[in-house]
Amino acid sequence: EDQVTQSPEALRLQEGESSSLNCSYTVSGLRGLFWYRQDPGKGPEFLFTLYSAGEEKEKERLKATLTKKESFLHITAPKPEDSATYLCAVLPLGSNYKLTFGKGTLLTVNP
Amino acid sequence: EAGVAQSPRYKIIEKRQSVAFWCNPISGHATLYWYQQILGQGPKLLIQFQNNGVVDDSQLPKDRFSAERLKGVDSTLKIQPAKLEDSAVYLCASSLDLGASRNEQFFGPGTRLTVL
């Protein structure tokens, strides 16, 4: 069974304090790994897709990386507006774009 | 470009009542998904459509949940009768096409259902 585990469950940072969120996964074969951001009361917002180990994607203060067993979302010099829940999802090989999501990491950035 | 639209945004019902949710996907997106997100959890796929055909409904509780996507555009998800454990946010998402090389899913704002 495909599994996605995100850690930590919650993370509190001071503005400007860089850190990383982890997404470890167990899947028979990986077609892609997705990162989403979810604000309270809203649907998930697409951030990145990673397809192969060693791949990196960047967007503003966020950088996502992928290995064969896990992905990291690095947040550099975060701002309060980066506060949100970050969700990771895997797309197994052979699936019809059926994503399996982790529970998410709730990030709070204090000014 | 308009995003995925859902209505209503909020719904409160008594247990054993019925409820329906509506979704309008991004124009031109052939694939439509319904997810259930319970508080503190990630979204769980309920049903997936490609145009007006069902691709996957393996996690849909078919004794009480039903969904349709007539004409391959809008979709409705129905619960009848509702149970307390159905309280959740119901998210609709759409993507370009199952055959596309890049097929990111884009989500609507969701409908928050409370069953009393």
Side-chain angles (χ1 to χ4, degrees):
Chain A
E1 183 179 327
D2 304 323
Q3 287 191 333
V4 179
T5 303
Q6 292 189 244
S7 62
E9 290 186 5
L11 180 63
R12 189 177 294 272
L13 300 173
Q14 288 298 122
E15 185 172 1
E17 179 187 2
S18 302
S19 188
S20 296
L21 312 182
N22 177 262
C23 171
S24 63
Y25 60 90
T26 304
V27 65
S28 54
L30 184 70
R31 186 172 180 179
L33 184 140
F34 297 74
W35 282 99
Y36 284 85
R37 168 191 170 129
Q38 187 171 26
D39 293 296
K42 296 188 176 181
E45 174 190 347
F46 171 74
L47 292 175
F48 305 110
T49 311
L50 302 167
Y51 291 99
S52 57
E55 188 175 0
E56 298 182 352
K57 294 274 181 74
E58 288 189 64
K59 180 180 180 180
E60 296 181 356
R61 295 176 292 281
L62 301 176
K63 183 169 87 172
T65 62
L66 180 65
T67 72
K68 289 186 178 181
K69 294 293 183 184
E70 58 191 350
S71 176
F72 291 93
L73 185 65
H74 307 277
I75 304 175
T76 303
K79 298 182 177 182
E81 53 262 42
D82 295 323
S83 297
T85 295
Y86 290 85
L87 294 165
C88 168
V90 296
L91 178 63
L93 283 172
S95 71
N96 287 312
Y97 276 92
K98 182 178 177 179
L99 294 179
T100 298
F101 280 86
K103 292 183 179 181
T105 293
L106 175 61
L107 174 67
T108 304
V109 182
N110 295 316
Chain B
E1 179 182 87
V4 177
Q6 289 188 248
S7 67
R9 291 297 315 279
Y10 305 92
K11 191 74 177 178
I12 300 174
I13 61 172
E14 300 280 336
K15 61 183 179 183
R16 292 186 289 273
Q17 286 186 323
S18 63
V19 65
F21 312 126
W22 173 83
C23 173
N24 179 246
I26 293 172
S27 177
H29 280 195
T31 314
L32 185 146
Y33 313 77
W34 282 103
Y35 288 86
Q36 180 191 59
Q37 187 175 25
I38 293 172
L39 189 64
Q41 305 286 318
K44 183 185 84 170
L45 181 70
L46 294 176
I47 189 167
Q48 177 184 3
F49 293 93
Q50 173 75 356
N51 296 311
N52 60 353
V54 175
V55 175
D56 189 315
D57 63 358
S58 58
Q59 297 189 94
L60 187 74
K62 299 181 186 64
D63 57 332
R64 298 183 300 105
F65 286 64
S66 64
E68 60 182 9
R69 191 183 183 197
L70 299 176
K71 301 181 181 178
V73 182
D74 293 4
S75 177
T76 56
L77 176 70
K78 297 179 181 178
I79 307 175
Q80 182 180 9
K83 293 185 175 181
L84 296 177
E85 58 261 36
D86 298 332
S87 294
V89 175
Y90 290 85
L91 295 163
C92 179
S94 70
S95 63
L96 195 59
D97 191 283
L98 289 180
S101 59
R102 294 185 182 273
N103 201 20
E104 291 83 7
Q105 296 181 25
F106 296 90
F107 285 80
T111 297
R112 180 175 297 278
L113 174 67
T114 302
V115 182
L116 303 175

